[in-house]
Amino acid sequence: MQKGMYTYAWDLQEEGVKKVVGRLRNAGLNTVTLATSYHAGKFLRPHAPRHKVYFPEDGTVYFQPDPSRYRRVKPRVSRIVDDFDALRELEKHAPDMDCTSWTVGLHNTTLGNEYPDLVAQNVFSDLLFNSLCPSQPDVRQYLVSLCTDLGDNYRISELAIETPGWQAFRHGHHHEFELVELSNKVETMLGICFCASCRSGAKCHGIDIESLARNTRRELELFFEDGTEPSIDVKNDPDWHAFHIWRAKVVANLVSEVREALNPNVTLAIIPTVQSPNSLCWSEGSDLSLLASAADRLEIPVYQTGLSSMTDDVKQVRTVAGIDARIGYILRPSYPNINSFSELLDAVNMITNAGAETISFYNYGHIRLQSLDWIEGVFT
């Protein structure tokens, strides 16, 4: 079984590839899942020899891209790569380990600011710079090029795409803030894209998108005026439901395009959501069944607290994805989700019994080294 650890290039650079990989091997792991395209953050690193708090560059890639593969939208390369190509270092120092290229796709504020005509727009035409819109042809071409570039030019066994679709309204953006309490309906409405490309695509599929937009604006204006809760069921109302079906096909078809173009020796996995539980993924344009068919497998975050909540989420994912879906799971062997060896053992046993094809852990740089001891205890 593939047993992996999510990692960052800056951790490998600072601590040394040999040391990090040695720790992973000792814990019984056989795969390094490396962030090759990533966003901004503010990360606490308990065992880092320096830089206990780290701010990565926003919207950059951590490999040397081939410029000839890209058209209008081109990746921005992290400064780290000038001195340290993490994928090449893994090829050199860890040839026995499989490598998964963890690729954040359309969540990219840097590219959103550079190409504002390609980002999602809410119903008020506000530009959501952190979310490239997957209905835009230039965006689709960028993601396909990014993935095939990695698959053809580096020794990776798998590519895992995070954010293949739209972003939810809340995503921990820098100083994300509001003094109005948002209900689930309002939050969903504010995150749905109504850009010209989405409107055109929805119209072509028989959706009265202009009426849907007018009704959504009206409902949100009433909410902003006095807190009146929207009356629309934003998931199951017939017009909304049709719109979500169209959105899910847009994302799944993009994943299919990547799979068709990707090196056939590289497995394609999809992380369908950045929300928890996974049942919220529909607001990002993720349909688990469609994505499981479009890719080789799903990579499902199990980021709940407590075995019962984790189990319920895993069962729900299987029901929706389908009995034939190939599914791997990600666990956080640390605060706040899993806080002891016994809790980790229970969680690993649960997902194994649920048919896990792969097991991964998040994230080497964020956890105490004690968590590696727990993982070793599980696998030995």
Side-chain angles (χ1 to χ4, degrees), residues 226-348:
D226 61 12
T228 299
E229 178 69 3
S231 60
I232 301 172
D233 183 341
V234 293
K235 184 177 182 182
N236 297 312
D237 170 85
D239 292 334
W240 272 103
H241 184 64
F243 192 28
H244 292 310
I245 289 175
W246 174 79
R247 283 163 50 91
K249 289 179 179 178
V250 168
V251 177
N253 289 341
L254 174 55
V255 170
S256 293
E257 289 176 29
V258 173
R259 177 59 278 176
E260 183 177 353
L262 189 64
N263 186 324
N265 297 317
V266 178
T267 300
L268 179 62
I270 299 297
I271 303 170
T273 186
V274 295
Q275 303 178 87
S276 185
N278 287 278
S279 59
L280 299 173
C281 70
W282 59 272
S283 67
E284 298 161 73
S286 287
D287 180 297
L288 296 180
S289 178
L290 292 179
L291 291 174
S293 297
D296 296 304
R297 71 173 183 87
L298 300 176
E299 175 86 331
I300 298 295
V302 186
Y303 293 167
Q304 293 75 38
T305 300
L307 185 64
S308 176
S309 295
M310 292 180 185
T311 303
D312 289 345
D313 196 25
V314 166
K315 287 180 177 178
Q316 198 271 344
V317 165
R318 171 58 70 186
T319 298
V320 175
I323 192 66
D324 295 326
R326 299 178 58 194
I327 304 176
Y329 298 95
I330 317 168
L331 298 173
R332 285 177 175 165
S334 187
Y335 168 87
N337 304 117
I338 296 174
N339 294 291
S340 68
F341 167 73
S342 61
E343 289 183 6
L344 179 61
L345 181 61
D346 287 343
V348 169

Side-chain angles (χ1 to χ4, degrees), residues 46-105:
H47 51 84
R50 56 191 181 91
H51 302 308
K52 294 293 187 184
V53 178
Y54 190 85
F55 289 80
E57 299 164 74
D58 194 7
T60 58
V61 299
Y62 294 85
F63 70 98
Q64 292 284 1
D66 176 0
S68 68
R69 290 179 173 264
Y70 301 90
R71 297 176 190 169
R72 181 186 174 198
V73 183
K74 300 174 176 59
R76 299 294 167 261
V77 182
S78 167
R79 291 188 297 270
I80 287 177
V81 181
D82 292 340
D83 303 313
F84 184 80
D85 187 331
L87 285 173
R88 295 292 183 223
E89 292 298 313
L90 286 168
E91 291 175 5
K92 184 187 305 182
H93 298 295
D96 59 314
M97 301 283 280
D98 285 334
C99 182
T100 293
S101 171
W102 168 29
T103 306
V104 172

